[in-house]
Amino acid sequence: MTPKKIPMRMCLGCNEMKPKRELIRVVHQKDGTILLDAGGKQAGRGAYICPQLGCLKAARKARRLEKSFSCRISDEIYDALEAAMQSGETAGQKGAANA
């Protein structure tokens, strides 16, 4: 029996390939909202990041989420993502991006 293939994704902070289940998905929905999605089921464009604050800070400094979503992301959204990551909250609306 062949082993099951594990989907790999790249973290926007540290640029390491890791199993999809170890990463948190950041979603940009059509209405412009940005939210964290640990389950990976929300509709919209997704980007992946490690659950460490260091990776979020590196992605923020290099503006990798903005490049991935092709829109301007305000500081309030980054702050809300950081607060949600600290509290362990991984789903729910975090704010609207200025597209």
Side-chain angles (χ1 to χ4, degrees), residues 54-89:
C55 286
L56 180 62
K57 289 179 181 181
R60 182 179 189 172
K61 183 177 179 181
R63 300 197 178 272
R64 291 190 183 125
L65 284 174
E66 292 182 9
K67 292 174 186 174
S68 179
F69 296 144
S70 299
C71 71
R72 172 83 171 97
I73 298 177
S74 66
D75 288 334
E76 294 101 21
I77 293 174
Y78 279 116
D79 294 337
L81 290 173
E82 185 175 334
M85 200 176 275
Q86 284 178 342
S87 69
E89 180 183 334

Side-chain angles (χ1 to χ4, degrees), residues 31 33-35 89 91-96:
D31 61 356
T33 58
I34 306 285
L35 54 97
E89 180 183 334
Q93 184 173 340
K94 299 297 163 211

Side-chain angles (χ1 to χ4, degrees), residues 16-28:
E16 291 182 18
M17 295 294 286
K18 296 186 177 183
K20 183 178 173 181
R21 295 212 182 258
E22 292 180 11
L23 301 173
I24 297 174
R25 184 171 182 244
V26 181
V27 181
H28 180 243

